[in-house]
Amino acid sequence: MEPSEKINRESRDAEKRASRRVDAERLAAGEDPTVLQRENSIFPEGFFKNARISNLKKAIGR
């Protein structure tokens, strides 16, 4: 399976470096690291809070 779009690796790497530089500046300015972590996370806030593990009962009941 091939991606529908070819990814420009150099452009993506430059984007990541710039993002990390901005994050480092924000941390140096005293911003709370948890704020940055929340912004950089792929999971929305509270994603795991009410998560259910579908096969948990089966695993426990063995």
Side-chain angles (χ1 to χ4, degrees), residues 10-54:
E10 287 178 20
S11 174
R12 179 67 182 129
D13 289 346
E15 200 176 293
K16 284 181 172 183
R17 280 192 304 274
S19 178
R20 289 186 185 117
R21 187 171 39 253
V22 168
D23 286 351
E25 291 170 0
R26 288 172 63 186
L27 288 171
E31 189 151 353
D32 186 353
T34 57
V35 171
L36 290 174
Q37 175 62 41
R38 182 77 267 142
E39 290 176 5
N40 292 330
S41 177
I42 63 170
F43 298 108
E45 191 167 352
F47 181 81
F48 294 104
K49 185 177 182 180
N50 295 318
R52 294 179 182 253
I53 301 172
S54 62

